[in-house]
Amino acid sequence: MSRGPTPGARRHPLRLPAWSATLTWKAAVFITVMCCSLAALLGVLVHVSVTRQTVEQAREDALHRLDDVTEAYEAGDPLGQLGGVDPPGLPPQLRELAQHGQRGTMVGDVHGRPTMWAAGPADGRVIAVDLDYSLGANTINGLDQAIVYSSALAIGATLLVGAFAVSRVTGRLRLTALVARRISAGDLDARVNDARGRHSSRPEDEVAAVSDALDTMASTLQAKLLSEQRFTADVAHELRTPLTGLSAAAELLPPGRPSELVQDRVRTMRALTEDLLEISRLDAGGERVDLAVHELAPLTEGVARMMRASGVRTQVRVLREVNVETDKRRLERVLGNLIANADLHGAHPVVVSVDGPVVSVRDHGPGYPDYLLEHGPQRFRTESGGKGHGLGLTIAVGQAAVIGAELTFSNAPDGGAVARLALPEYPHSVDHPEEGGGPPTGGADTERDSSTGEYGRPSLRLP
C-alpha cells in the first residue's frame, strides 16, 4: 500500500538551466514568438483571402455553366458533356438543396479529383454541372507551402539579426558588470570606456549612459580613497616625530605612577601610529612579498611563544603538519594580531589549531559581533567596552590578502569566536616526517603541545 505525500512536505521547484536567465535567450525567445505569431496571422489572412477569391471564381464559372445547361434542358436540346440530370456523384447536401427549389455550389471529390459542383431545380428534378477544381486547389496548396517556407525563412533571418543586435547590447552590459565586479574587488583603475560615451558624434544609448555613470563613480571613488589614504599616511608620518620626542621625554620622568601612565599612553599612541602607517601601505596596494617555504606548525608555535612572553596565554594544537610557501614576517603579523584580538576581546582558553595549511584561532568569549560576520572588520569600531581600535583584524585581513591566504571569521556553535586562515599549501609538502623525529604517522589524529613538544591524542578539536 503506497502512501501519499506527507502534508506540509516541501517540494523543490523545477530549476531552469542557467543560460535560460540570460537576456540573449530571453530576447531570442521573444523574437521567435513574435515572428511566429505575426507569420501565422499574415498566413491565415493571405490563405483566407486567396481561397475566397479562388472559390468565388470557380463558383461563378460553375453557375454560368449551370445557366447554360438549364436553358438547353428547357429547350429540349441534348446536354452532352455540359451537365446532367440527377448525376450519381452529386453531393447529398447539394442534391437536397436543389430538391427544395434552390441553387447552390459545393466543392466535392470525383474519382479523387477536386470538383466544383453547381446544381439547381428543373421540372421537379435536379440538374447539375461539375467543373475541374484541381487548378484552384493546387494554387491554394502551393500558396500555403509558400507561406510556410517564407515564414520560416523570415523567422530565421529575423532571429539571426535580432540575436546579433541583442548580443552586442548584452556584451556591453556584461563588460559593464565585469568592470563593476573588478571595482568592488579593489581594482579602482578599471573602466568601461564605452565607445558611444567617448565619442560625442555618436548618439548615446542607455547602456552607454550606465557605463559612463559607472566610470564616473569609479573615478570619484578612487579620488576620495586616494585622498583618504594620503591623509592617513600624512597624519601618521607627522605624528611619528613628536611621538618619538615625547617617548624620549617620558623616559626622563622620575619613577612613579604618573610616569608609568605617560609612558603607557605614549606606547599606545606609537602603536596606533604604526598601525595607521601599515594600513595606508596596504591600501596603496604596493606591498611586496618575500616568499619562502616554511613548516607551518613550528612557525605558529613560535608566534605563540612570543605572545606568551608578552602575557598572552594561548595553547597550540597541531593536528597535521605541512609546508607552506609564504612570507614569514607577514604571516607572523597575521597570527599575532588574531591571537591578540582573541585575548583582548574573548575569553580563555585561546586555542590555536594547525590542521594542514589551515590555522584556526579560537577563543571562548561572546563571539564576533554580527556586523563583523556580515561585512568584515571595520576600522575604529569595536563592541567590547571600548578596548582596542579595530585595526588589528583590519591589518590581519590586509596582510592575509597580500600573502594569498583566505581569512574568514565565524562563531563556534558552542560559543566563542573562530578566525580561520587558509594558506596556499606548498605543492611538494611531505605529510610524513623523517625517521627519528617529528610526530608519528597519525595524520589528523595526532597533535603536539607547544609547551612540552610531546605528541598525543587531541583533547580539543576546532570547528
Side-chain angles (χ1 to χ4, degrees), residues 1-349:
M1 180 178 179
S2 61
R3 296 184 178 180
T6 304
R10 299 179 61 182
R11 296 182 179 179
H12 296 284
L14 180 63
R15 294 181 62 88
L16 297 176
W19 55 262
S20 62
T22 60
L23 185 60
T24 302
W25 282 99
K26 291 180 179 179
V29 171
F30 175 77
I31 293 173
T32 302
V33 171
M34 293 301 298
C35 288
C36 290
S37 302
L38 182 61
L41 178 61
L42 293 178
V44 169
L45 292 177
V46 172
H47 172 82
V48 171
S49 177
V50 174
T51 301
R52 180 181 299 171
Q53 293 178 4
T54 304
V55 172
E56 289 294 334
Q57 183 63 41
R59 181 177 291 115
E60 290 179 3
D61 294 342
L63 290 176
H64 286 309
R65 175 75 64 86
L66 181 62
D67 291 339
D68 295 340
V69 171
T70 302
E71 291 178 0
Y73 176 78
E74 292 175 350
D77 296 335
L79 300 181
Q81 300 294 329
L82 297 177
V85 179
D86 296 327
L90 185 65
Q93 298 92 335
L94 191 57
R95 184 185 298 276
E96 183 178 356
L97 182 66
Q99 289 175 350
H100 286 79
Q102 298 181 6
R103 295 176 16 143
T105 59
M106 179 178 290
V107 178
D109 189 281
V110 177
H111 305 299
R113 186 185 71 234
T115 302
M116 174 63 74
W117 287 94
D123 297 337
R125 305 178 69 181
V126 177
I127 188 171
V129 297
D130 61 290
L131 296 178
D132 187 5
Y133 189 65
S134 300
L135 180 60
N138 292 335
T139 300
I140 296 175
N141 291 335
L143 176 64
D144 291 341
Q145 293 180 0
I147 291 175
V148 172
Y149 294 149
S150 60
S151 298
L153 181 61
I155 291 173
T158 305
L159 186 60
L160 290 177
V161 174
F164 174 74
V166 172
S167 63
R168 295 192 63 183
V169 176
T170 55
R172 294 164 62 194
L173 289 175
R174 281 194 296 269
L175 176 60
T176 303
L178 177 62
V179 171
R181 293 191 186 96
R182 289 174 56 189
I183 293 173
S184 64
D187 184 7
L188 298 181
D189 292 325
R191 298 292 185 272
V192 180
N193 294 326
D194 192 277
R196 289 183 177 269
R198 293 198 307 267
H199 304 294
S200 58
S201 60
R202 303 181 63 180
E204 184 180 73
D205 57 8
E206 290 79 0
V207 179
V210 173
S211 302
D212 288 344
L214 178 63
D215 289 347
T216 303
M217 180 197 68
S219 300
T220 304
L221 179 62
Q222 185 179 32
K224 289 183 177 180
L225 289 178
L226 291 177
S227 177
E228 292 179 359
Q229 291 173 10
R230 285 194 297 268
F231 175 77
T232 302
D234 292 343
V235 168
H237 278 291
E238 292 298 327
L239 286 176
R240 254 184 168 182
T241 300
L243 282 176
T244 302
L246 184 59
S247 177
E251 297 292 337
L252 300 178
L253 293 175
R257 183 59 179 169
S259 175
E260 293 177 358
L261 292 176
V262 171
Q263 293 178 8
D264 179 69
R265 293 299 89 191
V266 170
R267 283 193 295 268
T268 302
M269 284 292 296
R270 293 190 66 176
L272 177 59
T273 302
E274 295 299 327
D275 286 346
L276 289 175
L277 282 173
E278 186 171 359
I279 287 178
S280 66
R281 289 193 298 267
L282 291 173
D283 288 341
E287 295 290 277
R288 296 182 179 180
V289 294
D290 184 13
L291 296 179
V293 179
H294 301 278
E295 295 182 14
L296 184 58
L299 191 150
T300 305
E301 292 168 349
V303 175
R305 282 193 297 271
M306 288 189 295
M307 299 303 295
R308 279 197 295 271
S310 60
V312 178
R313 292 178 297 168
T314 181
Q315 302 174 14
V316 178
R317 299 284 186 263
V318 179
L319 305 179
R320 182 167 63 95
E321 294 190 73
V322 296
N323 293 337
V324 293
E325 187 175 18
T326 186
D327 188 322
K328 180 181 178 181
R329 180 182 64 83
R330 297 183 188 277
L331 178 57
E332 290 176 343
R333 176 68 161 153
V334 174
L335 295 178
N337 281 15
L338 294 178
I339 295 173
N341 182 81
D343 177 73
L344 182 63
H345 300 285
H348 293 280

